[in-house]
Amino acid sequence: MRGLRADFQPGIVRFQTGNQGCCNRGGADRGCGRRGQTAEAVIVLKEGETIAPADGKLVVLDFNATWCGPCKQFAPHFDAVAKANTDKAVFYSVDVDVHPELASKYAVESIPMVVYIKPDG
């Protein structure tokens, strides 16, 4: 994937696709969405919900937004990986408009962005 960048911090590995398409935070292209389209293996984090402890498993967060075209294109790939790895990791879909505090905590600058939280971190 062109433009893929990895940033490493203790316990956290972040991957983001960079500035591709409309999806810098606050982009104007509306009309795509992910709600209701995720696999059962992906937990869609709703308003007021938090990320639950994963009992020694890797936690994988997909930061996205309903208006983001590249997020909609990435969603089926994220879902397929989640289905294939439910025994190894817990997968979350996090809408940056619903959870701006999580987007800020993990320094989300563009979407889609995937964050891996190691079990010990």
Side-chain angles (χ1 to χ4, degrees), residues 10-13 53-60 88-90 116-121:
I12 300 171
V13 180
D55 296 328
K57 288 185 178 181
L58 181 72
V59 175
V60 184
K88 299 174 190 157
V90 179
Y116 300 88
I117 304 171
K118 297 178 185 178
D120 59 356

Side-chain angles (χ1 to χ4, degrees), residues 4-67:
L4 188 65
R5 181 175 84 220
D7 297 318
F8 298 97
Q9 296 174 357
I12 300 171
V13 180
R14 299 183 331 211
F15 289 90
Q16 60 189 59
T17 58
N19 185 7
Q20 297 177 4
C22 68
C23 290
N24 282 333
R25 293 195 61 209
D29 187 352
R30 308 267 177 198
C32 62
R34 185 182 180 131
R35 290 199 176 122
Q37 298 179 14
T38 58
E40 295 170 3
V42 177
I43 300 166
V44 178
L45 202 62
K46 297 178 183 159
E47 189 171 353
E49 293 181 336
T50 59
I51 299 167
D55 296 328
K57 288 185 178 181
L58 181 72
V59 175
V60 184
L61 308 175
D62 169 27
F63 285 94
N64 57 72
T66 57
W67 47 263

Side-chain angles (χ1 to χ4, degrees), residues 65-106:
T66 57
W67 47 263
C68 171
C71 297
K72 187 174 181 180
Q73 292 174 336
F74 177 69
H77 302 286
F78 187 74
D79 295 342
V81 171
K83 282 182 181 179
N85 294 286
T86 55
D87 57 332
K88 299 174 190 157
V90 179
F91 295 81
Y92 286 93
S93 172
V94 182
D95 187 318
V96 297
D97 293 326
V98 175
H99 293 281
E101 73 287 353
L102 288 175
S104 178
K105 178 179 179 178
Y106 293 105

